[in-house]
Structures are given as structure tokens and as C-alpha cells.
């Protein structure tokens, strides 16, 4: 089938010509709505008298920037591969996939009717008591089981081969997370009240050196298959269930990158509520959730690890308990610290770069928004500068509270 960009009518005829989707939707009139509000793709909700599905198509340009910004639609191939892989490793957290078509750069999935995008829930001040439990199940399984701590050397390398060519989306992150927001760049989008603060950051040598270190880690540390863009817009949930969506940025990168992205987004919500709801209990819950994510992730990751005796890294008979204990301790510290560094980068980029987060950009009063942005930047700067030496979660929470006073 030749690639063509869909619209509502073309979606209708695509469905009618795709028996596996017709089985799910059944006969009867289809109602079709385009609802994508992300930066990259088009998303349709298709409803029949019997059922509802989601159909997502990648177009050969960056949606947020328009057709003048070409971007390979092959990104959908990586999203499909990642969703299929995560469905095997952590099926409870991936919506059912009904149909994929790499030639058309599209995927059709279960419509999650009682779930909302987590960012929306965070803006509305909804608490999700089981979220940390769910997301650490997903993170520990997906990160551990795609790494050299679990796979054989051959299996790890052949899995990497399936994602290594997701170069354009990795480059987006290299540019828009680690580079452009801290220099003069046309793509930047800055609150006028924060222009001078961004100018200062451009001359902050220590911050920029640290950012280069993080960028280098991102580019070169191929620990595990990452989602690659795990912000609260890539999660749909309700009080009982949590689903991870949109892994088009999937690639082999550092363990701490997805964790950092998630922590950054929870903290952006935390700072936003100084002006949004002013609900101190909600903010406390957000900090408790950050803490819980680190604690539960470490416990679950080690549970996976302790369950296996041989992998690409560890040959049978090489490591006694003392060797393994000492190595694991240092390893978990490395993940914790790098997660903090990446959280800092992910927070800072949202303040000045092309894509802000609605938690903050949605605050209409620019002075109030700048107050939130300054808190977010203060936390981000500490994280980026100090990530290599932050000893534990207590110290981390101390920094967040100190910088958001
Ligand atoms: C240029 S695209 C902007 C951002 O949208 C995605 O969600 C990624 O975070 C990317 O950096
Ligand atoms: Mg996305």
C-alpha cells in the first residue's frame, strides 16, 4: 500500500478495507474525529455503534512546526516496535494493539474510555495513589529486561539493531532538550518575563558544562530500551489502571533518562500548583510520589536482578555475593544520580525551548507563570549541577523544598 496522509474520509475508507478493524468496530455508521494535541502526529477517535478505537498516523513533518519542518514518518516503525516489545515485557501497561501498518505509518489501538492523559489530571489536581506502584512495575521490567543485566550479549545487540536507526528522534532530543534552550535559537519560546533569566543561563558555564555531560550520556550510554519521551502526556490513567503510550522516541539509552523525564514532569506539576491550586496537600502528595518512585523502582529492579544468575554482564561463577552486592550498590546509585541529572535537563528545557508544558504555559498571568518558572529553574539548576553527588532521596527532597520556598 502506498503511503498517503489520512483525513477523516480516508480514515473511513481505510477502516472499511481493513478486515481486522471491521471485526472490532462491526457494521454501522462510523463517526471519526481528529483529536491529536501532541507535537508530532495525527490521532483519530473512530466510533461505531459497537466499539471505539484510536488510530494514530505519523506524517512526514513535525506537526508542532508545520510542513516546513520535515521529519521522517518512519518514527512510527519505532513506536510500533517499542509498543510490541513493551506489550511482551509489561502487558498490563500497554493498550491492546489491534492493527499496525508500517507502510502507512499508522497504528490502531484500544480506546481508553475511562482514562485521561495524566498531565490533564495533574493540572486538575487529581491524586493517583497507585500511580507509583504501576509506573515502577513498568520501568523496572522494561529497563531491566532490555539490558545486558538480563539479556545475552547477542540478544541485547540484536534488539538494539531494531532501534539504533531512530536517529531523527534522538536528534530532536539532543537539540531540544540538551542544547537549544540554553543558547540563542529561533525555535525557543520564552515567557517575556523570563528573557533575562534565559540570557543569564546562556552564560552559566558550570550549568552548560554539566548539560554537555548529560547530553553525552544520552548519546552514548546504551543501557536499555527506553520509551524516550516519558512525560505525563505519554501516560493515560484512571484511579485503577495506568497505560504508557507514544513511544516513538524509543532508543537504547541510559537507565536514568525515562525516570528523569517522569520525575521532571511531577515536579513541574508540583511547582505549578504554587500558583494554580495552592493546594499544599496535593504538592506534598507529589513529593511523596517522587520519593515512592525512586524507592519502588530500586526495590523492583533489584528483585528482577536477583532472580537471574547469568546474563551478558555476569557469567556463572564470576561474582560471589560480596562482588554482586558491591556492584549493585554502585549501579543503583549511578541510576539514581543520572535520573536526577536528566530530570534537571527535562525541567529546564520546558521553560525556554520549543515545547513547554501546559501545567506551566497554561498559567495566563505572566508574572505568576514567571514565579513558577523561577522555582522550576532553581530546582533544575541544582539537579544539573549536583546530580553526581546527591547522596539519597532525603537530600533530593531537601533541595526541592529549599529551591521552591
Ligand atoms: C520538537 S518536538 C518537541 C517535543 O515533543 C515531544 O513530546 C518531545 O518531548 C519533543 O522534544
Ligand atoms: Mg509524544
Amino acid at each position: 500500500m502506498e503511503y498517503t496522509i489520512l483525513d477523516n474520509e480516508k480514515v473511513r475508507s481505510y477502516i472499511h478495507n481493513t478486515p481486522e478493524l471491521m471485526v472490532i468496530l462491526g457494521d454501522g455508521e462510523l463517526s471519526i474525529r481528529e483529536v491529536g494535541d501532541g507535537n508530532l502526529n495525527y490521532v483519530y477517535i473512530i466510533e461505531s455503534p459497537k466499539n471505539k478505537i484510536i488510530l494514530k498516523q505519523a506524517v512526514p513533518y513535525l506537526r508542532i512546526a508545520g510542513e516546513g519542518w520535515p521529519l521522517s514518518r518512519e518514527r512510527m516503525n519505532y513506536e510500533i516496535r517499542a509498543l510490541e516489545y513493551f506489550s511482551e515485557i509489561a502487558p498490563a501497561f500497554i493498550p491492546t494493539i489491534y492493527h499496525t501498518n508500517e507502510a502507512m505509518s499508522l497504528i490502531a489501538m484500544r480506546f481508553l474510555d475511562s482514562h485521561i492523559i495524566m498531565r490533564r489530571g495533574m493540572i486538575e489536581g487529581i491524586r493517583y495513589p497507585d500511580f507509583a506502584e504501576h509506573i515502577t512495575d513498568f520501568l523496572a521490567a522494561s529497563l531491566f529486561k532490555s539490558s545486558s543485566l538480563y539479556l545475552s550479549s547477542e540478544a541485547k545487540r540484536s534488539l538494539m539493531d531494531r532501534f539504533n536507526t531512530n536517529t531523527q528522534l534522538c536528534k530532536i532530543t539532543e537539540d531540544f532538550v540538551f542544547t537549544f534552550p540554553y543558547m540563542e535559537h529561533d525555535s525557543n519560546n520564552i515567557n517575556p518575563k523570563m528573557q533575562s533569566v534565559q540570557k543569564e543561563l546562556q552564560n552559566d558555564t558550570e550549568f552548560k558544562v554539566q548539560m554537555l555531560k548529560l547530553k553525552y550520556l544520552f548519546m552514548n550510554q546504551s543501557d536499555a530500551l527506553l520509551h524516550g519521551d516519558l512525560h505525563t502526556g505519554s501516560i493515560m490513567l484512571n484511579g485503577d489502571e495506568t497505560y504508557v503510550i507514544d513511544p516513538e522516541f524509543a532508543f537504547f539509552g541510559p537507565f536514568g533518562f525515562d525516570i528523569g523525564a517522569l520525575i521532571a514532569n511531577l515536579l513541574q506539576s508540583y511547582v505549578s500548583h504554587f500558583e494554580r491550586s495552592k493546594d499544599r496537600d496535593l504538592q506534598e502528595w507529589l513529593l511523596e510520589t517522587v520519593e515512592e518512585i525512586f524507592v519502588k523502582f530500586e526495590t523492583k529492579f533489584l528483585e528482577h536482578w536477583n532472580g537471574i544468575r547469568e546474563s551478558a554482564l555476569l557469567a556463572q561463577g564470576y561474582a560471589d555475593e560480596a562482588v554482586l552486592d558491591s556492584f549493585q550498590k554502585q549501579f543503583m546509585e549511578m541510576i539514581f544520580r543520572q535520573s536526577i541529572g536528566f530530570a534537571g535537563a527535562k525541567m529546564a528545557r520546558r521553560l525556554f525551548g520549543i515545547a513547554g508544558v501546559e501545567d506551566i504555559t497554561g498559567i495566563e498571568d505572566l508574572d505568576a507563570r514567571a514565579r513558577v518558572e523561577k522555582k522550576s529553574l532553581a530546582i533544575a539548576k541544582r539537579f544539573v549541577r549536583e546530580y553526581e553527588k546527591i547522596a539519597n532521596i532525603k537530600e533530593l527532597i531537601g533541595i526541592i523544598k529549599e529551591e521552591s520556598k
Side-chain angles (χ1 to χ4, degrees):
M1 177 180 288
E2 207 180 319
Y3 177 80
T4 164
I5 296 181
L6 297 174
D7 56 23
N8 286 11
E9 279 323 298
K10 287 182 180 154
V11 167
R12 188 183 307 283
S13 96
Y14 186 86
I15 305 268
H16 281 128
N17 288 306
T18 308
E20 67 209 83
L21 293 179
M22 285 305 288
V23 168
I24 289 155
L25 289 164
D27 294 331
E29 189 59 26
L30 298 180
S31 112
I32 300 170
R33 278 182 298 139
E34 204 285 313
V35 293
D37 61 354
N39 299 325
L40 278 82
N41 302 304
Y42 286 80
V43 179
Y44 298 87
I45 297 179
I46 299 137
E47 187 171 4
S48 70
K50 179 182 168 192
N51 220 332
K52 253 186 189 179
I53 65 168
I54 286 283
L55 187 145
K56 177 176 173 183
Q57 186 183 40
V59 291
Y61 55 86
L62 181 66
R63 183 176 185 171
I64 189 180
E67 290 182 41
W69 192 313
L71 184 68
S72 157
R73 64 184 171 78
E74 277 70 35
R75 62 185 182 272
M76 180 53 79
N77 302 354
Y78 303 100
E79 174 158 354
I80 292 170
R81 288 175 202 177
L83 285 169
E84 288 177 345
Y85 190 74
F86 293 146
S87 298
E88 278 173 35
I89 301 289
F93 306 104
I94 305 298
T96 310
I97 301 166
Y98 297 135
H99 168 78
T100 64
N101 185 336
E102 291 200 359
M104 283 290 289
S105 301
L106 66 77
I107 186 164
M109 314 178 72
R110 176 182 161 200
F111 174 76
L112 298 168
D113 52 354
S114 65
H115 309 71
I116 58 169
I117 291 284
M118 185 173 187
R119 190 180 307 292
R120 177 93 340 255
M122 298 283 84
I123 289 170
E124 286 169 18
I126 302 172
R127 291 166 180 73
Y128 296 100
D130 294 332
F131 172 67
E133 189 71 50
H134 295 162
I135 205 67
T136 52
D137 276 348
F138 172 77
L139 285 168
S142 62
L143 294 178
F144 181 80
K145 290 193 170 174
S146 58
S147 78
S148 316
L149 303 175
Y150 176 72
L151 296 172
S152 68
S153 181
E154 197 190 3
K156 161 98 188 287
R157 287 179 197 287
S158 75
L159 186 59
M160 277 175 80
D161 277 351
R162 292 179 57 68
F163 292 91
N164 264 345
T165 41
N166 198 4
T167 49
Q168 286 195 4
L169 271 71
C170 286
K171 181 77 165 71
I172 284 185
T173 305
E174 288 156 20
D175 289 342
F176 292 103
V177 174
F178 295 105
T179 312
F180 297 158
Y182 322 114
M183 58 187 275
E184 286 298 330
H185 199 273
D186 285 350
S187 66
N188 285 342
N189 188 356
I190 306 171
N191 176 355
K193 309 275 177 178
M194 290 291 283
Q195 292 283 358
S196 62
V197 174
Q198 195 264 356
K199 289 257 179 308
E200 257 173 56
L201 198 62
Q202 287 188 34
N203 296 315
D204 186 332
T205 303
E206 191 191 350
F207 178 86
K208 290 180 88 171
V209 169
Q210 289 295 100
M211 195 57 79
L212 283 179
K213 285 192 202 166
L214 288 162
K215 181 175 178 180
Y216 191 82
L217 287 179
F218 174 86
M219 297 167 95
N220 293 292
Q221 192 174 301
S222 306
D223 290 328
L225 179 63
L226 307 186
H227 176 284
D229 196 26
L230 194 57
H231 53 75
T232 47
S234 297
I235 293 169
M236 290 191 75
L237 76 183
N238 60 25
D240 303 318
E241 292 176 319
T242 300
Y243 286 98
V244 172
I245 58 169
D246 278 2
E248 65 225 299
F249 284 78
F251 78 113
F252 269 78
F255 281 125
F257 189 71
D258 280 353
I259 306 169
L262 187 62
I263 298 298
N265 276 262
L266 294 172
L267 292 178
Q268 277 156 339
S269 174
Y270 165 79
V271 289
S272 77
H273 281 288
F274 280 103
E275 298 290 336
R276 282 187 174 275
S277 65
K278 301 186 167 61
D279 179 344
R280 299 295 179 249
D281 290 341
L282 171 70
Q283 291 179 300
E284 260 321 299
W285 176 79
L286 282 160
L287 294 188
E288 281 160 21
T289 302
V290 167
E291 183 166 348
E292 223 184 312
I293 286 172
F294 279 117
V295 172
K296 286 182 188 289
F297 172 76
E298 176 161 335
T299 307
K300 292 174 188 183
F301 193 87
L302 286 173
E303 271 167 18
H304 283 295
W305 196 345
N306 290 331
I308 62 129
R309 282 286 154 262
E310 198 172 356
S311 65
L313 185 76
L314 286 174
Q316 283 269 20
Y318 178 86
D320 62 17
E321 221 167 288
V323 170
L324 193 58
D325 279 358
S326 167
F327 183 70
Q328 284 183 333
K329 185 167 180 296
Q330 292 175 45
F331 206 89
M332 298 318 293
E333 269 170 19
M334 180 270 289
I335 299 180
F336 173 67
R337 291 189 170 133
Q338 290 187 0
S339 303
I340 297 169
F342 289 127
K346 289 285 214 170
M347 289 177 80
R349 62 79 61 115
R350 295 293 188 187
L351 304 175
F352 309 121
I354 188 172
V357 286
E358 201 198 328
D359 313 59
I360 296 177
T361 57
I363 300 172
E364 277 170 21
D365 173 343
L366 292 186
D367 289 306
R369 176 175 155 186
R371 285 195 291 278
V372 164
E373 289 171 324
K374 283 179 183 159
K375 286 183 167 57
S376 194
L377 183 61
I379 296 169
K381 275 163 113 177
R382 293 281 302 274
F383 283 7
V384 169
R385 287 195 180 124
E386 296 173 29
Y387 78 91
E388 288 147 307
K389 36 184 203 272
I390 294 175
N392 52 43
I393 294 166
K394 194 162 170 270
E395 192 180 328
L396 181 79
I397 301 291
I399 290 173
I400 298 166
K401 289 196 165 161
E402 205 175 301
E403 297 300 338
S404 55
K405 260 194 247 151

